Amino acid sequence: MSELDPKRDRVALVTGAGTGIGRAIAAKLGRLGWRVAIGGRRAEPLAETAALVEQAGGRCFAHALDVTDPDSVEHFFTRAEEELGRVTVAINNAGIGPCGPLVELTPAEIGAAVATKLTGSLYVARRAIQSMRAGGVGGDVLFISSSSAVQPWPFHLPYAAASAGVEHAARMLRLELEGTGIRVNVLRCGETAGTEFALRDLGTERMAAAHQWWFRRGVLRHAGLMTPDVVADAVVAAVTLPMAYQYELTALVPVAPIGELPASYEDLIADLMRHLPSS
């Protein structure tokens, strides 16, 4: 098997690429001059991401994708590889996470969170591995995970459980793929602003109650927040590492803003508003 150059001749596929972290990852990969296939449920945000990839110097193919539907995943890969060539990098970023106590979530909300984060990631990884093995030059499968995978994070239970499942799946997959040249990485992210995921329930009673619980029990201790660009930089670092090495898991968390830590929930909210990134 020939050696895959980690910084050249790459075709990357990014799920959930219409907004937030997925968009930032696609743009950063475009800056490397890579060919980037982006998928998501909505056409307009995907078109905006595609323009960013092209402006950055990459070549982009955008197509509708529902990671919970194996037929959609297969069609996406087929069309992407017809346009760009064989996939050698797959970034499993898609995820949704309804906020609230489990007892108040609907079965549809629970099912969608698990299907998108866990089952969908496995569908995408499976299809990517098929392409990489057929190509014979290795590649990268990277899963975006969450701090909630290892730290109890009530009111995000389905997403947290799915993230824990993703991390354990990656551990097993790494062993299954030893000797193939295909690397399996996990990027575990802490609190990140500027994402549709973070904004979906902002301002709702559910989110307000969750924030108060998280602060009072030390889950959310300060107003430090990451941006999608910071997360994207970590992804680029992982998939451009020399092919003889891999990151098994990278945990990326924000640093507390300099100054006194918030003494009350009200102080926390005020700090969050002051330190909220503009992008």
Side-chain angles (χ1 to χ4, degrees), residues 133-193:
R133 295 193 74 155
V137 293
D140 287 279
V141 177
L142 188 144
F143 298 89
I144 304 292
S145 178
S146 163
S147 296
S148 64
V150 292
Q151 180 178 8
W153 208 286
F155 305 106
H156 270 314
L157 195 157
Y159 179 79
S163 293
V166 161
E167 292 198 3
H168 195 50
R171 295 183 193 103
M172 290 185 283
L173 191 56
R174 192 175 297 114
L175 294 177
E176 288 186 8
L177 294 173
E178 281 190 341
T180 66
I182 300 172
R183 305 186 293 193
V184 180
N185 299 301
V186 174
L187 176 60
R188 182 192 295 159
C189 298
E191 299 87 345
T192 305

Side-chain angles (χ1 to χ4, degrees), residues 26-37:
K28 296 277 185 180
L29 297 178
R31 190 176 297 175
L32 297 177
W34 290 9
R35 291 160 283 169
V36 186

Side-chain angles (χ1 to χ4, degrees), residues 244-260:
Y245 309 96
Q246 65 180 332
Y247 297 128
E248 287 189 351
L249 183 147
T250 302
L252 191 66
V253 296
V255 174
I258 295 174
E260 292 186 5

Side-chain angles (χ1 to χ4, degrees), residues 221-224 255-263 267-268 271 274-275:
R221 300 185 305 279
H222 57 75
V255 174
I258 295 174
E260 292 186 5
L261 293 176
D267 289 344
L268 172 67
D271 285 351
R274 282 198 299 272
H275 295 100

Side-chain angles (χ1 to χ4, degrees), residues 191-248:
E191 299 87 345
T192 305
T195 70
E196 192 171 81
F197 184 98
L199 296 174
R200 183 175 292 112
D201 293 312
L202 194 64
T204 65
E205 290 185 8
R206 272 185 175 184
M207 182 59 82
H211 272 125
Q212 291 188 46
W213 196 100
W214 296 336
F215 175 74
R216 288 169 182 162
R217 289 160 178 79
V219 177
L220 187 62
R221 300 185 305 279
H222 57 75
L225 296 167
M226 300 184 298
T227 66
D229 276 349
V230 170
V231 178
D233 284 337
V235 170
V236 170
V239 299
T240 57
L241 195 70
M243 291 302 293
Y245 309 96
Q246 65 180 332
Y247 297 128
E248 287 189 351

